Amino acid sequence: RGYLSYDHGIDSLYLGTSANVGLKIDANGHITKPLQSAFMANFSTTLLNISVGSNTLAIDQERFDQNGDYNTSNGTFTAPVTGRYQLNAHLYFLNIDTAASYYESLLITSNKTYGAIISPEFGADPAYFTQEICVLADMDAGDTAVVRVDQSGGSSQTDMSSGTLFSGYLVA
């Protein structure tokens, strides 16, 4: 089931486990790990009128999901193994309400919550605004990560663009 092989025809070295290629080194020294956990998702359409309060974002369209660790029905990434994961949330707001006290963007893991906050004290309701959360997170096998937006006050007029992204990959 495990193997080490070399393909002289294309000068590539393979290391496999459970009959799958776990590591490939090509003739130019490029190393690929086709089973390494990595995902990126975005909204399939603009999410209209998020509610005042807490909104866990079920980001529903996978751009890719190497290893199948992202769940589009609830927007949850589940760590397959214990390690360090680079997690990124790019939040693309439309029609922010200046009457809101604040908007807090959160990347929530089983171990810790990471966030960014704005007080929308603009002269008028801005047409668009972006926030980024990028973190190298410590996760155990089975831990989860989700993206949430909390709005305090104001009205339910803010939309989340389909340009909103959630991504991550296993670093080590």
Side-chain angles (χ1 to χ4, degrees):
R1 292 173 30 116
Y3 64 90
L4 175 65
S5 70
Y6 189 84
D7 184 334
H8 290 281
I10 58 171
D11 291 326
S12 293
L13 178 68
Y14 300 89
L15 178 62
T17 60
S18 299
N20 295 307
V21 174
L23 181 98
K24 176 186 174 187
I25 304 172
D26 72 11
N28 296 313
H30 301 116
I31 299 171
T32 57
K33 299 182 264 180
L35 301 177
Q36 188 82 342
S37 186
F39 74 96
M40 184 169 77
N42 62 277
F43 283 121
S44 57
T45 61
T46 297
L47 179 64
L48 300 174
N49 302 321
I50 64 170
S51 63
V52 175
S54 294
N55 300 275
T56 299
L57 303 181
I59 301 172
D60 65 342
Q61 180 171 288
E62 292 175 340
R63 299 286 302 273
F64 59 88
D65 186 6
Q66 191 168 293
N67 203 47
D69 303 311
Y70 185 75
N71 185 331
T72 57
S73 67
N74 61 16
T76 302
F77 167 71
T78 303
V81 296
T82 298
R84 308 295 185 268
Y85 290 82
Q86 178 63 44
L87 299 172
N88 311 291
H90 171 79
L91 299 149
Y92 190 156
F93 296 87
L94 303 169
N95 305 314
I96 286 182
D97 186 6
T98 57
S101 299
Y102 65 83
Y103 289 84
E104 188 171 24
S105 300
L106 302 166
L107 203 159
I108 302 169
T109 71
S110 299
N111 296 330
K112 186 163 176 55
T113 298
Y114 307 91
I117 191 167
I118 62 163
S119 177
E121 296 175 6
F122 305 106
D125 292 350
Y128 51 85
F129 187 86
T130 59
Q131 278 190 315
E132 309 286 335
I133 304 171
C134 303
V135 63
L136 183 61
D138 177 33
M139 297 181 77
D140 298 319
D143 281 356
T144 59
V146 296
V147 177
R148 191 176 85 197
V149 172
D150 295 348
Q151 177 183 337
S152 176
S155 64
S156 297
Q157 73 178 46
T158 303
D159 307 325
M160 298 301 299
S161 165
S162 59
T164 295
L165 304 171
F166 182 27
S167 65
Y169 61 93
L170 174 61
V171 175

